[in-house]
Amino acid sequence: MNSENQKTQQVLQEIEKVVIGKNEVIEKILMAVLAAGHVLMEDVPGVGKTTTAMAFARVLGLETRRIQFTSDTVPSDILGFSVYDKKSECFVYKPGPIMTNLLLADEINRTSSKTQSALLEAMEERHVSVDGSTYALPSPFMVIATQNPTGSAGTTMLPNSQLDRFLIKISMGYPDLESQISILQERHSENPLDKVQPVLDKAGLQALIDETTAVHVAQPVYAYVAQLAQATRAHPAVQLGLSPRGALAVCRMAKACAFLSGRDYVVPEDVTAIFSDVAAHRLMLNAKARMMELDAQQLAGEILKNVPMPAVRSGGK
C-alpha cells in the first residue's frame, strides 16, 4: 500500500470512530472530497449528518466554518459585506464564513431561495462578488451541506439547477441494531468528536486531489458513462436526464472511487458503484412518474442493469 492509500485509509479509520456502521457513506463522502466536489446529505434529524460533517472537518485538518441556516439568513451572512473605513476613506471587504476551506452548511433548505442561490453560485464559480468586487475562494474549497427531507415544515426545496452544484447527494439512514447499541453505550460520558485526530492538512489534501485528477479513464469507460447518460434521457419516466455536466461528475467520482481502491485507472465497476449517488438528484421525473411515486435512485439502478458494462482489462485499457 503506497503512502497515498495509507493516508486515505487513516482518514476512514478516524471517521469510523465517530460514525458507526456507516462505512459506505463515509467512503462516498471521502470520494467526493478527493474529487474536489460538494456533498449534500439529506435525512431525518438525529441520524448524524452534522456529526459526520464535523468529523471530516477535523480529520482533514482544514480551516472550517459552520453556518446554521434559518429563515432570516441573508446572502451577506454567508458571502460577507463591505464597510466604509474612515482611515483609508474607502470601502473594505469583511469576509463571510464562506472564506474557508471546508464550509459546513447546516439545514440548507431552511433558508430562502435568494440565500441558497448566493451560496450555490459561489460553490460553482469558486469566487464571491460583493459590491462590484470579486474575491476568490480559498483552495481547496468544498461544502458539506445537510438538509431535512423536503416534506418537513418550513423547508424550501432546492431546484434541480442548484442541486446540480452538489457532486453527490446521500442519506445516512438509521443505524442497524448492533451499531445503535454501540452508540448508546459510548456516548453518555464523552463527545465522540474528541477521539478524532487530524490526518491531513491543506497541502496534503490538495496532493491527494491532484493524484485523483490524474487517474486514467480509458475510452470504453468514457463510452459507458455516455451510454448511461443517454439512457437517462431516453427513459420514459424521466423528463430531464443527466446533463453533460452530470456525466463529467460521474467521471470525477469514478476516478475518486478508483483512487480509494488503490488503482490509478478506472474500471466500469467504479462507475456502477457511484452512479446512483451522482445521478439520482440530477434526474427530473415526469408528472406520471411522480404520481406513481417512483424513486430516482431506483430508476438509476434500473438504468445500470439495462446498459451493458464494457470489458476493461487490467490497467484500464
Side-chain angles (χ1 to χ4, degrees), residues 25-308:
V25 172
I26 64 176
E27 285 179 1
K28 295 284 178 65
I29 296 175
L30 181 55
M31 289 176 200
V33 170
L34 294 173
H38 308 295
V39 178
L40 178 61
M41 303 173 67
E42 180 183 88
D43 221 319
V44 295
V47 295
K49 301 186 297 297
T50 302
T51 300
T52 301
M54 294 179 68
F56 267 96
R58 294 197 182 189
V59 174
L60 297 176
L62 301 176
E63 181 184 348
T64 306
R65 300 284 185 87
R66 178 182 177 186
I67 303 173
Q68 180 67 51
F69 283 94
T70 60
S71 58
D72 59 353
T73 304
V74 296
S76 61
D77 292 333
I78 303 167
L79 308 182
F81 52 88
S82 296
V83 296
Y84 185 74
D85 182 41
K86 291 183 179 180
K87 291 183 179 180
S88 61
E89 297 184 347
C90 63
F91 284 91
V92 178
Y93 173 57
K94 298 296 182 182
I98 200 168
M99 287 295 175
T100 189
N101 297 118
L102 178 57
L103 181 67
L104 308 182
D106 254 339
E107 297 189 290
I108 188 175
N109 62 335
R110 289 211 176 274
T111 194
S112 66
S113 299
K114 184 177 181 179
T115 304
Q116 290 173 355
S117 297
L119 170 63
L120 296 166
E121 182 179 356
M123 288 164 52
E124 179 68 19
E125 303 297 333
R126 305 281 172 163
H127 66 248
V128 299
S129 295
V130 178
D131 295 330
S133 297
T134 300
Y135 306 93
L137 295 177
S139 181
F141 171 75
M142 62 201 67
V143 173
I144 298 180
T146 70
Q147 71 173 14
N148 294 325
T150 54
S152 299
T155 59
T156 302
M157 184 176 179
L158 293 172
N160 285 59
S161 60
Q162 295 183 354
L163 284 172
D164 194 45
R165 267 64 171 181
F166 290 97
L167 182 62
I168 61 170
K169 178 184 173 186
I170 58 174
S171 296
M172 296 290 294
Y174 289 114
D176 58 32
L177 180 60
E178 184 178 345
S179 299
Q180 181 69 81
I181 293 172
S182 297
I183 292 170
L184 294 174
Q185 289 175 332
E186 294 177 5
R187 301 194 181 180
H188 282 290
S189 58
E190 60 182 7
N191 183 349
L193 289 171
D194 293 338
K195 301 179 182 179
V196 175
Q197 299 297 321
V199 174
L200 297 171
D201 56 18
K202 181 163 47 175
L205 177 58
Q206 188 60 58
L208 293 181
I209 291 173
D210 293 341
E211 290 278 350
T212 302
T213 303
V215 169
H216 174 68
V217 182
Q219 195 279 335
V221 177
Y222 280 130
Y224 181 46
V225 174
Q227 290 165 5
L228 289 171
Q230 186 62 37
T232 66
R233 300 164 195 164
H235 197 285
V238 177
Q239 181 177 341
L240 289 177
L242 198 62
S243 68
R245 180 164 59 184
L248 286 169
V250 172
C251 291
R252 287 169 55 198
M253 192 70 174
K255 284 184 177 185
C257 184
F259 184 81
L260 202 59
S261 300
R263 283 179 278 102
D264 61 358
Y265 60 90
V266 175
V267 295
E269 288 79 6
D270 295 322
V271 176
T272 61
I274 55 85
F275 180 74
S276 294
D277 298 297
V278 178
H281 66 285
R282 292 177 161 88
L283 302 180
M284 182 182 293
L285 306 187
N286 58 31
K288 182 178 179 180
R290 293 194 299 271
M291 288 179 60
M292 296 175 64
E293 298 185 348
L294 295 180
D295 181 75
Q297 285 275 352
Q298 294 174 340
L299 288 177
E302 177 187 326
I303 288 166
L304 281 173
K305 291 179 181 179
N306 294 335
V307 177

